[in-house]
Amino acid sequence: MFYLLEKKLISKQQHGFMSRRSTCTQLLECVNDWGIAIKNDLSVDVIYVDYSRAFDSVVHSKLLHKLQAYGFHGALLDWIAAFLTGRKQNVVLNRCHSEYHDVLSGIAQGSVLGPVFFILFVNDIADLFGPDTICKLFADDVKLYSVLSNDIANNGLQGAIDLLVTWSATWQLQVNPLKCNLLHLGKHNPGSQYHIEKSAIEGPTHLADLGVEMDQLLKYNFHIDNIISKAYQRIAVLFKGFTSRDPKLLTRAYTTYVRPILEYCSQVWSPSLLKDINALERVQRYFTRKIDGLAPFSYIERLCFLGLESLEVRRLKSDLKMYFKIANGLIDIDFNELFNYYKSPYDTRGHKLKLIKYFKCKSDQSFANRAVDCWNWLPAILFDSPSILNFSNKLNGLDLSLFLKGQALVG
């Protein structure tokens, strides 16, 4: 994998199974593009393409052909061919075994090499499209989107879909039209229709994109309501399933099974409205009140006793840590796509990595804007950190209450 990355053979649009890339990096790139278009009063159409049993449908001979094109040859290619072919499988049900049959296609799931082979198999998808259509990949999830400034861009997106369908037929991956989705973004989106072969692609008002609910205006109301509901349900299960009422045990269970629901990809959707900030915080308030003996105390006292931080503080720190990772190349996101450094010979205060907001609008709460003021305020000593862990430890020693909006620290 290192050789493939070093030679830049793997598309930068692929974020699945890749070091320094994740669901969060892909969503940040997409949401940044979409947010800029919407702020410029443009529309965006996003097509989500679903494959039926993609990993099981990879034809071995075609995979080996692609690997050879990427430079695999000789004994290594022979070894991979031996690894893929000659396998048999059967079904076991109630101790009854079916007959063994040859496995003619598919990649052995659960193996170390399986994800690498699949990424290489679909790697050239991103090369199919022109500059008007952006393609993002996460393993077998394909996302196409285009900014609609005129009818040409609209027709271009349908053309991109046709190219993808043709490519899929050539390499024997089956697109499932019934599970493909369309999202219209922007207030003035014309709501164009798109088709996969003869099937119209459904266009719901909101849908889950790599675990984050997206709506037509990128407001994330559905996502926040959804994760709050799931978190309350998980807390109920937690207190019902544990007979022990030991605060340390329950807090450990909460931070393991509940809090990740409330924080997954928060850099993408972190709320700006007070009602949403407080609604999220109420989940943790509720949990801390249910700990035996803590109900009479204020929320800040309960947090101190349990060794927790408010969710709003944690989201702000997550933003700052992501800024640090991007600025130092620790994750694979182009810094210049999101940020601009503030360069002034007259400002000698603070650190030298100050940023300029992309949109100088207080109401803009996109990832690239919302934590810029806090980032610029940070002491210079933080930017000498040799690692993200060191940066995080120094960050924990700072009082960030100046940049909080919610009522997290009110009793």
Side-chain angles (χ1 to χ4, degrees), residues 16 151 314:
D151 292 336
R314 286 179 58 83

Side-chain angles (χ1 to χ4, degrees), residues 121-292:
F121 190 73
V122 300
N123 190 53
D124 56 317
I125 288 180
D127 299 329
L128 296 173
F129 315 107
D132 292 331
T133 301
I134 306 299
C135 173
K136 296 292 183 183
L137 302 167
F138 193 90
D140 61 334
D141 290 329
V142 182
K143 180 165 39 184
L144 305 177
Y145 62 88
S146 181
V147 177
L148 308 180
S149 55
N150 51 50
D151 292 336
I152 297 175
N154 181 6
N155 294 333
L157 188 54
Q158 180 59 61
I161 296 169
D162 296 338
L163 284 173
L164 180 60
V165 170
T166 301
W167 180 93
S168 302
T170 300
W171 296 101
Q172 293 179 252
L173 291 179
Q174 185 179 357
V175 176
N176 186 350
L178 297 179
K179 291 188 177 181
C180 295
N181 280 301
L182 161 65
L183 186 63
H184 297 296
L185 299 174
K187 290 182 179 180
H188 307 296
N189 194 298
S192 304
Q193 268 291 349
Y194 301 91
H195 296 79
I196 292 180
E197 295 176 337
K198 295 182 180 180
S199 300
I201 304 176
E202 294 294 327
T205 57
H206 63 93
L207 52 79
D209 186 344
L210 297 179
V212 177
E213 288 279 338
M214 298 288 177
D215 62 28
Q216 294 174 320
L217 297 177
L218 300 181
K219 296 297 185 183
Y220 306 110
N221 296 332
F222 293 102
H223 179 73
I224 292 171
D225 291 344
N226 187 34
I227 62 174
I228 287 174
S229 176
K230 287 182 179 179
Y232 277 124
Q233 292 173 11
R234 192 69 62 86
I235 289 174
V237 171
L238 188 153
F239 279 95
K240 185 176 181 180
F242 283 85
T243 56
S244 172
R245 288 297 178 262
D246 177 57
K248 289 184 179 179
L249 175 65
L250 292 173
T251 301
R252 183 68 177 270
Y254 165 78
T255 57
T256 303
Y257 298 110
V258 181
R259 195 169 66 185
I261 297 174
L262 299 169
E263 295 184 335
Y264 169 72
C265 282
S266 65
Q267 297 91 341
V268 177
W269 55 266
S270 186
S272 59
L273 297 179
L274 193 61
K275 69 178 185 66
D276 293 328
I277 294 171
N278 291 334
L280 286 161
E281 205 67 48
R282 276 195 292 272
V283 178
Q284 188 163 268
R285 286 173 180 270
Y286 173 73
F287 167 76
T288 58
R289 278 200 308 270
K290 287 184 71 67
I291 300 294
D292 288 349

